[in-house]
Amino acid sequence: MARNVAFNGVGHLVAPSLADARMLMYQSKVDRELFDVIDLDPYGSPAPFLDAAVQAVSEGGLLCVTCTDMGVMAGNSAETCYSKYGAVSLKGKFCHEMALRIILHSLDLRANCYQRFIVPLLSVSADFYIRVFVRVFTGQAKVKASASKQALVYHCVGCGTHHLQRLGKATSHGTGFKYGAATGPPVGSSCEFCQQRHQLGGPMWAEPLHDLAFVQRVLAALESSPGRFRTEERIRGMLSVVTEELGDVPLYYTLDSLSGTIHCNTPSLLQFRSALLHAGYRVSLSHACKNAVKTDAPPAVLWDIMRCWAKIHPVKRERLAETSPASRILAVEPTLQASFALRDDANPSSRKRGLKRFPENPEAFWGPKARAKAGRSGSDTRTSGRSGQTTAPA
Ligand SMILES: [Zn+2]
């Protein structure tokens, strides 16, 4: 670390420490020397550091958190996710965005213990990890709103339809808000489309993932210093998609899972997006998934559009089991007459401009490598982490 500090000429700014990061952060609170920025990027889960971090960051300060334990957060081990983050993960198509919402839920809840709350600036899913940037503020009155910012997720195991259930209710009351219990559930005991059961996930953060004004400033900064970052193209592509995302619509569907459920061929992204726009709804992509359909259209409208599509591109019904989600969904006549005529506004600007939005892996076997082994004194492998931030000169 000392060599690296010297190499970058930042000795006047950086004080390296080998202390337990948690002790360092708690001590900063005792000394009233809070950190303006805390960046947690440990090997594996950052969960053990969150409690110390949310109280050691200065008022309005920046907290950046990287999670590389995507198996746990994307639904492979929901019980482990609960033990680390206080939320049950689901293996839905929306799992990468849900992982972002789970870490935000966990951060907000832990901040609440100290009468603090988070405001997300940017939350991204990239390669094999997720990274969130949040500001932390103090305010007992605003902490009261936190329950109503979280939601449980009902996810149908048959057709993949999802519904959200907020944990609390905030009602505007003159100059302020009144808080109470939410009412629910949003679903019956079985799915209204395919009659199968729902899995229950969450709670997760159900408010916007990004502060768009902040993201625009980052994009502007990128344009004003071309060539500064090697990953410039990728940053521009990803952040452009981020600015197009519907901020008030948590989670998404994917085009191939909608068509896969009813065993029909897949409409093009433009056809499907056009159908949603013709029906009077909003639709966007998600940076977290290549063929995501994020929309404020209720699930009933999505399935009606798919039923209309299946009328033009017939499904071989005789091959479907009577109790399959496909049979049950297709047995109902659509009430909406979907139009798939292409609309110019169905093509997202980031796509029109040909930005590098969803890059492929740069090499074979790309991804997190094995954990560095401890205890080989004198060897460089002792401190090298996944990111190599502390050992490799920039
Ligand atoms: Zn269903």
Side-chain angles (χ1 to χ4, degrees):
M1 286 155 86
R3 259 197 302 149
N4 205 19
V5 167
F7 185 89
N8 287 286
V10 288
H12 59 300
L13 293 172
V14 181
S17 169
L18 278 175
D20 182 319
R22 285 167 293 193
M23 296 309 288
L24 200 70
M25 290 190 279
Y26 286 125
Q27 191 60 45
S28 80
K29 178 107 188 272
V30 176
D31 299 341
R32 295 175 189 239
E33 283 193 9
L34 300 182
F35 294 101
D36 294 320
V37 182
I38 295 180
D39 188 352
L40 297 178
D41 190 3
Y43 196 97
S45 171
F49 303 99
L50 300 183
D51 179 77
V54 294
Q55 50 86 61
V57 69
S58 63
E59 185 59 18
L62 179 64
L63 177 55
C64 323
V65 183
T66 305
C67 305
T68 54
D69 49 342
M70 287 308 286
V72 166
M73 302 195 78
N76 275 339
S77 177
E79 68 291 346
T80 309
C81 189
Y82 179 79
S83 67
K84 289 183 192 301
Y85 301 103
V88 174
S89 53
L90 290 174
K91 224 180 195 170
K93 294 288 174 188
F94 48 65
C95 63
H96 288 116
E97 186 180 309
M98 188 165 178
L100 288 168
R101 295 181 178 280
I102 285 174
I103 181 66
L104 291 174
H105 161 72
S106 196
L107 285 170
D108 195 49
L109 183 60
R110 290 170 208 238
N112 290 168
C113 297
Y114 302 97
Q115 285 83 52
R116 308 191 96 185
F117 59 95
I118 63 157
V119 176
L121 288 179
L122 175 64
S123 314
V124 292
S125 161
D127 300 336
F128 299 91
Y129 64 94
I130 55 170
R131 184 151 166 80
V132 296
F133 303 82
V134 306
R135 295 181 74 185
V136 183
F137 294 92
T138 311
Q140 214 166 5
K142 290 222 171 149
V143 166
K144 286 171 184 269
S146 275
S148 60
K149 295 176 182 172
Q150 322 296 326
L152 295 169
V153 182
Y154 287 86
H155 180 232
C156 174
V157 296
C159 67
T161 302
H162 59 256
H163 289 86
L164 264 56
Q165 166 73 59
R166 296 267 175 166
L167 288 191
K169 193 168 145 191
T171 18
S172 185
H173 187 64
T175 52
F177 281 94
K178 210 177 134 205
Y179 301 101
T183 47
V187 293
S189 60
S190 62
C191 173
E192 61 178 301
F193 306 106
C194 76
Q195 278 95 63
Q196 297 211 20
R197 294 282 179 169
H198 293 100
Q199 289 177 324
L200 188 57
M204 62 167 204
W205 179 260
E207 293 290 299
L209 294 173
H210 324 286
D211 173 345
L212 288 190
F214 170 79
V215 179
Q216 293 290 6
R217 288 207 300 278
V218 176
L219 277 168
L222 193 69
E223 299 314 319
S224 65
S225 40
R228 185 171 169 198
F229 303 106
R230 267 198 308 161
T231 49
E232 183 178 328
E233 239 189 306
R234 185 169 183 195
I235 298 173
R236 184 180 298 113
M238 178 180 269
L239 294 190
S240 298
V241 179
V242 159
T243 60
E244 291 168 356
E245 282 177 13
L246 293 179
D248 56 346
V249 181
L251 307 184
Y252 46 77
Y253 293 89
T254 66
L255 212 47
D256 42 331
S257 66
L258 289 170
S259 54
T261 298
I262 59 166
H263 299 277
C264 68
N265 65 16
T266 310
S268 76
L269 191 68
L270 291 190
Q271 285 172 314
F272 196 76
R273 288 170 61 101
S274 297
L276 281 165
L277 292 171
H278 283 304
Y281 296 97
R282 294 177 296 144
V283 58
S284 81
L285 298 167
S286 161
H287 80 278
C289 176
K290 206 172 176 176
N291 36 21
V293 176
K294 199 184 247 306
T295 177
D296 60 345
V301 168
L302 290 178
W303 289 124
D304 261 4
I305 291 175
M306 291 311 293
R307 287 175 185 124
C308 293
W309 179 258
K311 280 186 189 292
I312 320 170
H313 305 86
V315 174
K316 288 197 176 110
R317 302 261 198 120
E318 61 278 9
R319 287 201 199 156
L320 301 175
E322 243 171 70
T323 56
S324 68
S327 292
R328 285 185 162 150
I329 290 170
L330 292 172
V332 176
E333 274 301 306
T335 52
L336 178 148
Q337 287 310 310
S339 162
F340 296 95
L342 294 189
R343 287 172 61 127
D344 197 38
D345 55 350
N347 200 4
S349 151
S350 61
R351 191 168 178 267
K352 264 187 216 159
R353 287 189 286 152
L355 298 183
K356 196 174 179 181
R357 302 172 305 154
F358 303 100
E360 301 294 324
N361 293 341
E363 59 189 50
F365 310 111
W366 174 251
K369 304 291 192 287
R371 185 183 206 122
K373 287 200 176 61
R376 280 198 238 156
S377 60
S379 156
D380 273 344
T381 57
R382 191 162 55 123
T383 52
S384 70
R386 176 191 51 79
S387 62
Q389 274 174 346
T390 55
T391 50

